[in-house]
C-alpha cells in the first residue's frame, strides 16, 4: 500500500435536512470533514494507506470524528486528542437561484492550537510517497503554520512529493500575518499546486489575461518563476448555471504544456462540497500510478465530477467508476 | 417599522414526505399557511410590522398555528381564538408529468365563522400603511365577507392603501352568493389588484385578446373602468414545462403603461405554493420603499422566483437576496 | 371486474435514504416488489381483480409482504406460506453520472423452492382473462420453471391470453439449464412478448440490423417464425442522459405493422425501477379495454412514463392520469 | 373462515412523534382507525374473514384508508366511497403525570352522512357468525343510527350474534336525539355488551354500589332486566398509575355468574388506544372457538393487555402470543 | 398582561436522537435554550408578557434562535444582534445507570461579549413586575456581570421584585473573578433565591447540618443574615433512582417558616433539563397571583414535575394542568 | 496496546423503528453485529488492539460492515472479502409482555464458507494475549469449525489465553455434526468458559441441582473434570420481569471458589442484545489488568449492565463509567 499523509483541521458539519434553512430545522444532519482529510479519504477508499494528521478535542465530538475518519478507511493513529473544541460549520443547501450559505464557527479549535514539536514528523512521514496540505492550515494560527512548515521541511529532506491547495479564505488569516509572508516558504517546498486565479491574484498579485488557456499558462509561469519547485499547476474551472446545475472541466500545466479535459455538464448536483478535494485526490492517485499528464488531469476531473453525485464531503466512487465517467458513462445504466 | 395588516384564514398543511402519495405515507410533514398570511410573513421577514388578523380554534392546533406565525415574525395580537376547527389541506407533491394534487378539508373552519363586529378594525388599522386581502376570504362565508368589508371601509376612511388578490377558487363560494356581487364593492375600495385572466373572465366576464401585452392591458383597462380605485394591476404569467420546471415573468399595468420583467427559467423547483403571495409581498415592499414601477414589478417577480427555492409556503429569502436574483445571480456561488 | 393472474417472486427491497450508499446508511427504506407482482399491482389499482401467485416464508417478512400486496389491492389468496427465506435486493440510487447499483440477495428463497403440483391452477385461472409471467421465474429453479409450465398449459387449455416479459438476467440461470431450452416451450404458449434486442440475441441468437424500425421488425418476425403463438411484440427503448434524466418511447409490432409513440423527455426521475412492468400493465389494460393497437402502445408507454414520477416499484397513477400524460399533460398544473 | 361483520367510522389519526405536543411538531405520524374496525382488524389477523362496513370520501384520504384496512387483512368490499371528508383525530401522547390529549375533528364526515338503504345488509350479513357495533355510530347522526338499526334487524332475522360497545362520548350526540332513545332498541337486539359503569349510569341511570363484584353484578342484572337479549356483559377495569403505567383486569357476567381475571401490571405502555377494542375482539374470538366463559374473559383480557405493547390502534399479536400472556409469559425471553 | 423580564444567554442545544451517543449519530435534534429564557418561556406560555433580554450573533443561528423564542410567545424586542457566535451545548441523553452527558461549547459567545450601556434598562424594565437572573450570567464574563448589575440597580430603583438562581457552574468563572466577589452585590438586590446546598457552600461557605428541614433552614438563615434583601429561599431536592427515574419535592423558607410539598415519584422522565427553571417560573407565577406561601411552593414543584413530561427545555404544560398535578392527577386519563 | 483476537461471523441487523413490527415498517434501522466482534468491539473501545477475523462478501454490504467495525476502533486487516452474501437478522423489539423476536436469515453466508488454510493464524496471533470464540462459529459449517480449531491449536502453541462462549443455538448445527463431537476438542483448549445451564445440559448432559450457588458449582466441576484446561467458568443469570425490565447478576467459579456480584435492577432497558458479549469483554479486560477474581466478575457484570443502556449491540460505555456503575452510580446525575 502506498502511504500518503495529510495535515489539517477536521470540523463537524451541520446541515438542515433537504433544502431547509436553519430557522426551519428541528434537526441537523451531521458529518465530519476537512479539506485535507477529504483528499486522504478518497485516496484511502482507493486502496492507499491514508494517514491524516490533526488534533481533536478529547471529548465526545473528538471521538466521534475519529470514528468517522476510521470508517472511511483513514489511519488516525497520529491524531492527537486535546484542546478546546472541535470547529463547526453550518451549511444551508442552495437551490435554484439561492446560493448555498456556509456559516463557520471555527475558532478557537483544537487544531488551531497546535504547536511546533507536537507531531513526530520523522516517524509519521517515514516511507510516505506524498504529503498534502492546504492554505487553510496556515491561515488558522501561527502554531498551525509552524507545524505545517515542520512537515514540509521533513518532506524536503526525505524527498516526498508535496501538493498544496492554496484555497484562500478571506475570513481567516486573523492572527496578524499575511498569506504572502507565510505561504511563500511553503510553496517553495511544494511540487503540485492547485490554485484559482482569485488565489494567485489576491495573495501574490499574479493575474492573467482573458483567454483561458493563455491566461492560465501565464499565471502558472509566473508562479513557477517565483516558486521554482513547482512541477504542476492544476485547476478545475466551474460554470455556474444554478445552485445545482454546474459545468466543470480540468486544466493542467506541467511547466511546458497546457492540457484540458472535456467539459462535463452536471445537472442535479447532490453535494458540491469536497469536489475540489477529490480533484486533488484524483491527481495524486493518477500520479502515483505513473499515468501520463493527460490521464492525470482526466482522472482528477472525472473524480471531481463523480464526487458531485454523493452525499457528504468525502468521495465514495471507486477508481473503476471514475474511469467509467472518464470514458463517457452517463450513469443511465442500472448495474445489477 | 412600517405597519401592514392582512386578514385571512390560516390552515394546517399536511404533505407526505418526498414524492409519496398519501396512500404510501406513515407520516406527514406539517406547516401552517394561508394566502394572506404568506404575504404578511414575507413582509415581516423583511423588517415590517406584519399584523395578521384571523380566527383560530382554541385548541392545540390553533395554538400551534399562533406559534408558527410568531416564529415567522408576524404579530398575532389580533387573532381571536374560538370556533370549530382549523381548516386543513393535504398536498401530494407532483413530479415530472404528475401534477401536484391538493385535497382541501376546509369547512366549517373557525375563520369561516367570523362575524361583523368581531374585530376592532379602528384599533387594528391605526397607523397602518397597507392592508391586504384575497378573494378566498369572501368566498368562505357571508360572515367572512362582512368582516372584510368592514376592514376595507375603515381603510378607505383612514386612507390606507389596499391590495387584493382575486384568487378565484371554484370549489368555494358555497354560501349562496356570487363572486361578482360580493367582490365588486371590495374592488371598489382596492388600489392594487392581482388577477389572472381566468379570474377576471370567470367573475366579471372581462377577457382579452391573444397577444400578451395588449391582452393584459385590455383586461386592466376594463377592470379600471369598472373599479376606478384601481391604480395597479399585476400578474406573474407562468409557463409549465413539468411539475418542477416552470418559467416565470411579471407584468404590471399602472393605468397608463405596461411593464414586464425578464423571463426566469426555474428548474428543480423546491416549493411552488406561496410564490404568488410572495409576488404580492414583493410589490408591497417595493411600493413602500417608494421605488419606481419597473423596480416594483422586478422586485415582486424576483421575490416570487426566489420563493420557489425554499421549503414551505412562506418566503425565507432576504431583501438582499431578492435584489441579487433581480441583478442576475444564478445561485451558483457558495456564500461563506 | 376482469380477473388477471400473475406468477412470480416477491422480494423485500432495501434502499438507503436519498442518495446515500449502503456504507453511509443507518437505516434503509423498505418495500416489497417483484416484476410480475408490479404488473398485477398496476392492474389492481386500475380496477381489475389482480391475483398474484407466489410463495413467501411463513415468518414476519412473509406476512409483511402479504400486507404490502393487499394494501396495493392485489388478491393474495393463492400465495402459499413456506420455505426458507424471502429474497432481498439492495438498491443504491444513482445520481448524475453515477449509475444505480442493485445488489441481489435472492437464493434460496421460498419462491425458488416451489414445485409442480403446489398450486391449483385450474381453480386459480378459472374465469381469468389474462396471465402474465416473466423470464425471471424459470431462471430461478427447475421447480419454478415447472410451476410456470403448469400454469401456461392450463392457460392454453382455457384460452387465456398470456403475456411474457423475457427479462434475461445473466446472474440467474444457475441450476444447470439454458434459457433457450427452458423458455422455448413457454414462448410457444405466449401471445404477447416484451423483449429487448439483448434478450432475443443472448437467448435465441435473434439479432437485428441498425435502423430501429426495421431492426425491431426483423427481430419480431424471426421470433414469430420460431414461436407462432406470438401476436404482439412490444418494447420501450430508453435513451440515458444521466441516472435521473432519460428519454422513453414505445414500439409495437402486431405481426404486420410497426407502431411507435412520441418520445418522452423525463427529467428528475423519481424511481425508474418498475417502469417496464408498468409498460406491460398498460398494454394489458388497453388490450382488455379493446382499444386499437396504436392506443395500446400509447397507453403502455404513457403508463411507463408516469410511473417514473412515483416512489416505489408499483405504479400509483390512475388511468385518468395516464390518459392525460398520453394527451400531453406536462404536470405543471396544480390540481385542487 | 368464520365471517364477522362490523359497521363504523374510520378516521385518520395524526400524532406528533414521540412525546411532542402539536406545537412542537413539524411532522405527524398517521394511521387509520375506528373502534369497530379495530375489533375486526384483530379478528382478521387471527384468521377470520373480517368485513368492515363504512363510508369513505372518494379522495386520496379515503383510498389511503382502504389500503390501510386491507393491509391489516380486512375485507373492504362493502365500503362505499362518497361524502365530504374523512374524520380526523389528533393525539398528543401523555407521559408521566401528563394525560394523553385527543383533539377530534370529526364532522361532517363521509360516514356520518350515511343513510338508510345505502348498504345491502342481506347480502353483507349472509353467512356471518357475528356482528359488532359501538355507541359511536348512533351518536354521529340520525342516518348512521338508522343504518345501524337496519343491520341489527337483519342480524335478528338471520340469528347472527351481536355485540355492542356502549362507548358513550359526551362530545358527540349533537343531532337532537338522546342516547337512551336511540340506543335502547339497539340493545334490545344485542347479546354481548361492553359497558363501563359510567356508560350505564349516564345513559340509562343504572348505577352500582361500591364493592366491585357485586356492583358490577348489580349493573348487569339491571341491564338485562331492561334488555333481555343480553347474554353477557363484560368490562376491563383499569387502574391508572401514570400515563404509561396502568393495571388491567377483566370482568364477565353471563346472566348468572361473575368471573374475573388476574390483574396485569402494565409498565411502559406503548399504545393504549384500541386496547378496549381488542378486549372485545378477544371475547368474540374465544366465543367463536366455543371456549368456556372463564376462557373467554381470560383471552379477552390477555388480548387487551398484549395490545398495549404494539404501536398503532389495531392489535398485532397472534392468538399464540395472547395465549402465552394468558399463561403468564412476561415477555422477557428473546424468541429466535 | 403582567410584564416580567429576564436576562441571559441562549444556546443551541444539539442532541443525538433517542439514546444514541454522538459517535453513533448522523443527525442531531436541535432546540434553543437558556436557563433564564426557560423561566420566561413558561411565564409567557401562562399568559404573561415575558421579555427576554440577550445578545445573539447576526447570522442564521441567531435568527433561528429569535424565531424559536417568539414561537414560545416570548417578547424578543430587546435582543441585540451582534458578536461572534451562538453558544452551543451537546447532550447525550442518559438511560438506566448511564448519566446524561453535557458537552458545552460556549465561549466566545455573542452574549458573553455584552458590555455596560448596551441595553436600555430604564425602558426595558418600565412597568415590569419581576426580573429574573441566574448565576450563569455573571460567570461568563466581566461584561455580562456588569450588565446584570446595571439591571439589578434599575430594578432596585423601580421597586421591581428580583429572583436569582445561583446555579453555580464550576466550568465557568474563567475571567479572573470569584463568584463570591461578583455575586454578593447581586444577592444584596435579590428577594427570591434558588440555591442548593452545594451552591451556598461552594460560593459562600454556608453549609448545613444533616436533617433536611433544619439544615435548609439553617442555610437560609445564614444567607438572609448576609443578604438581608432575601425574602424567600426555595429549592427542589431530587432523589435519583436512575437516569429516568427520580423523585422530587419542593422546599420553601420565607424568613420565618419552612414549608414543603409532597414527594413526587417520576418514572420514565422525558426531559429533565429545564425543570429547575420551571420550578422558578412556577414560584413567580404563584407569587404574582398573590397565592399563599404553601401554594407558591406547591405550584412551583408541580410545575417542575410536569415539566419532566415534555420534550425540550421549555415548559409546555398549562396552568390548569399544573393545578391538576398539584391536586393529584396521575396522568392516567385520556382527555378527549 | 494489548492485542486480542476474535473469530466469527458479522451480520447486518435490521430493526423496525421504535416498537414497530416488520409489517408496520417502511424503513429499518441497520447496524452490523456478531457475538465475537461485539466482544472485541468493547475491548477496542477500552484501548486494546482488537483484531476481528472474519469473511465478508466483496459487495456493498461487506464494505459497509468493514467501515462499521473500523468506526468502532476494531482492526479489520485480516478480514477476507469473498463468498456469497452477508448474513442478516431481523429484530422486532419487545415491549411489556411481548417478547423480542429475532428472524435469522443467515445461510449461505460468506463466513460460513470459510475453509482450513484461509487465515494465516501464525501471523494473526503473533503477540496476542487473548483469543475469543463462541459456539456459533462451529455451528455454522464444517469449514468454520475447522478454521476455529486451527486458531485454537495455534493459541495452544503460543500460550495465548482462550475464552469461549458456548452460546448453543438449536436453529444452527445443520451440517451433520453434533455440538458435542465438534465442541469437545475446542473446550479442551479453552481456559475461560461462559455457559448457561441450558448450554451444558443440552450439549454435554451436564445439569445441576436447584440451589443456585451449589448448582452452578456442580456444573462447573463437572465441566472442568471433562475439560481440564478450564480455569474459569462465568455466567450472568437474568431474571425477566418484562421485555424491558430485567435483573442481572454475575457468577464466577475459579476452580475452587464461587463468587457472585450484587443484583442489578434494570428498568427501561434500551438494548439487551450484546450484553452477554460485553459481560465476556468485561471479564477479559479485568483479567488482562491483573485484577482479582471478585473484581473480574464485578467488572464483567457492571459492563453487561451498563451495555443495556446503549443503542446497538456493541458496548459504548468507558472503563471509567463501568467502574462507576460497579461502585453504585445510579445514573441520576447530569455530567457537565
Amino acid at each position: 500500500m502506498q502511504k500518503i499523509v495529510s495535515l489539517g483541521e477536521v470540523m463537524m458539519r451541520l446541515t438542515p435536512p433537504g433544502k431547509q434553512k436553519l430557522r426551519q430545522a428541528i434537526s441537523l444532519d451531521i458529518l465530519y470533514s476537512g479539506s485535507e482529510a477529504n483528499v486522504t479519504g478518497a485516496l484511502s477508499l482507493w486502496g492507499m494507506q491514508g494517514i491524516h494528521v490533526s488534533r481533536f478535542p478529547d471529548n465526545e465530538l473528538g471521538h466521534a470524528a475519529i470514528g468517522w475518519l476510521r470508517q472511511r478507511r483513514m489511519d488516525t493513529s497520529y491524531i492527537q486528542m486535546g484542546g478546546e473544541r472541535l470547529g463547526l460549520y453550518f451549511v444551508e443547501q442552495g437551490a435554484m437561484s439561492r446560493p448555498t450559505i456556509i456559516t463557520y464557527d471555527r475558532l478557537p479549535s483544537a487544531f488551531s492550537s497546535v504547536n511546533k514539536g507536537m507531531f513526530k514528523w520523522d516517524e509519521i512521514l517515514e516511507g510516505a510517497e506524498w504529503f498534502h496540505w492546504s492554505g487553510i492550515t496556515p491561515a488558522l494560527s501561527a502554531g498551525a503554520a509552524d507545524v505545517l512548515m515542520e512537515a514540509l521541511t521533513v518532506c524536503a529532506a526525505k524527498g516526498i512529493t508535496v501538493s498544496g491547495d492554496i484555497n484562500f479564505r478571506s475570513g481567516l488569516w486573523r492572527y496578524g500575518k499575511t498569506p504572502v509572508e507565510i505561504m511563500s516558504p511553503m510553496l517553495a517546498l511544494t511540487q503540485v499546486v492547485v490554485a484559482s486565479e482569485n488565489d494567485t491574484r489576491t495573495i501574490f498579485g499574479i493575474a492573467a489575461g482573458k483567454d483561458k488557456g493563455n491566461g492560465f499558462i501565464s499565471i502558472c509561469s509566473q508562479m513557477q518563476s517565483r516558486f521554482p519547485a513547482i512541477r504542476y499547476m492544476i485547476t478545475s474551472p466551474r460554470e455556474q448555471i444554478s445552485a445545482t446545475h454546474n459545468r466543470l472541466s480540468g486544466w493542467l500545466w506541467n511547466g511546458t504544456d497546457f492540457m484540458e479535459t472535456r467539459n462535463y455538464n452536471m445537472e442535479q448536483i447532490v453535494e458540491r462540497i469536497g469536489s475540489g478535494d477529490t480533484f486533488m485526490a484524483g491527481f495524486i492517485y493518477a500520479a502515483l500510478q505513473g499515468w501520463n499528464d493527460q490521464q492525470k488531469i482526466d482522472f482528477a476531473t472525472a473524480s471531481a465530477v463523480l464526487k458531485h453525485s454523493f452525499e457528504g464531503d468525502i468521495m465514495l466512487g471507486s477508481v473503476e467508476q471514475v474511469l467509467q465517467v472518464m470514458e463517457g458513462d452517463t450513469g443511465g445504466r442500472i448495474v445489477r
Side-chain angles (χ1 to χ4, degrees), chain A:
Chain A
M1 278 207 302
Q2 289 167 308
K3 174 172 168 179
I4 82 109
V5 178
S6 56
L7 168 71
E9 184 162 26
V10 169
M11 294 177 284
M12 181 191 271
R13 167 180 155 173
L14 303 106
T15 313
K19 299 295 185 184
Q20 287 178 0
K21 282 182 75 64
L22 271 163
R23 61 189 70 180
Q24 296 175 287
I26 64 170
S27 71
L28 301 176
D29 297 329
I30 58 170
L31 54 80
Y32 301 86
S33 168
S35 177
E36 305 84 359
N38 296 347
V39 173
T40 301
L43 292 166
S44 300
L45 176 77
W46 294 339
M48 295 180 174
Q49 184 194 3
I51 296 172
H52 185 65
V53 179
S54 192
R55 186 162 185 247
F56 297 171
D58 191 12
N59 63 17
E60 291 299 334
L61 282 82
H63 288 282
I66 289 276
W68 194 267
L69 299 194
R70 282 185 53 84
Q71 189 177 28
R72 275 136 196 89
R73 310 228 165 186
M74 280 175 253
D75 184 332
T76 61
S77 315
Y78 295 100
I79 291 175
Q80 300 207 14
M81 307 307 286
E84 277 288 305
R85 58 187 293 267
L86 196 71
L88 308 172
Y89 69 109
F90 296 84
V91 177
E92 291 186 341
Q93 293 281 15
M96 307 174 60
S97 50
R98 169 161 74 104
T100 291
I101 298 178
I102 301 185
T103 303
Y104 285 103
D105 178 11
R106 199 155 194 162
L107 295 173
S109 68
F111 180 76
S112 67
S113 55
V114 292
N115 279 309
K116 215 179 290 196
M118 237 181 208
F119 299 96
K120 301 178 184 167
W121 287 113
D122 256 328
E123 179 186 332
I124 297 170
L125 290 164
E126 187 56 39
E129 306 208 17
W130 201 286
F131 177 79
H132 176 70
W133 62 277
S134 94
I136 294 168
T137 295
L140 290 172
S141 68
D146 288 347
V147 165
L148 175 53
M149 268 310 291
E150 281 184 322
L152 292 175
T153 308
V154 174
C155 286
K158 290 184 188 284
I160 297 166
T161 306
V162 172
S163 55
D165 181 349
I166 292 184
N167 217 335
F168 176 66
R169 300 278 172 84
S170 59
L172 298 172
W173 293 102
R174 295 179 171 197
Y175 65 93
K177 299 288 183 180
T178 61
V180 65
E181 63 183 311
I182 295 294
M183 293 182 71
S184 291
M186 292 167 178
L187 287 168
L189 300 173
T190 301
Q191 288 78 47
V192 179
V193 172
V194 179
S196 68
E197 195 199 339
N198 182 54
D199 290 336
T200 59
R201 193 183 55 242
T202 313
I203 302 181
F204 305 108
I206 292 177
K210 279 182 186 169
D211 57 325
K212 67 174 180 176
N214 291 347
F216 180 65
I217 293 172
S218 156
I219 289 173
C220 294
S221 306
Q222 295 175 62
M223 284 291 286
Q224 200 194 36
S225 303
R226 188 141 163 193
F227 306 110
I230 293 177
R231 290 281 160 278
Y232 289 95
M233 287 194 65
I234 55 175
T235 195
S236 56
R238 181 185 295 269
E239 186 186 351
Q240 301 174 342
I241 319 302
S242 79
T244 56
H245 184 182
N246 291 185
R247 292 201 187 92
L248 199 80
S249 56
W251 292 351
L252 171 150
W253 181 82
N254 60 12
T256 50
D257 298 320
F258 168 77
M259 295 172 191
E260 66 183 315
T261 68
R262 65 186 177 86
N263 194 261
Y264 291 89
N265 188 37
M266 303 188 300
E267 289 180 311
Q268 292 184 247
I269 293 169
V270 175
E271 178 58 79
R272 167 179 165 178
I273 300 175
S275 60
D277 305 322
T278 308
F279 177 70
M280 183 76 252
F283 182 90
I284 296 172
Y285 184 85
L288 290 175
Q289 300 301 307
W291 294 346
N292 70 35
D293 287 352
Q294 184 65 48
Q295 289 169 323
K296 281 175 195 149
I297 191 64
D298 283 349
F299 189 82
T301 307
S303 296
V305 167
L306 186 57
K307 162 63 196 71
H308 288 81
S309 74
F310 294 100
E311 296 193 1
D313 296 5
I314 298 180
M315 175 65 164
L316 291 170
S318 65
V319 169
E320 184 194 10
Q321 284 177 313
V322 174
L323 291 171
Q324 285 165 350
V325 170
M326 215 168 116
E327 288 153 12
D329 190 351
T330 63
R333 296 166 305 132
I334 292 181
V335 177
R336 291 176 197 269

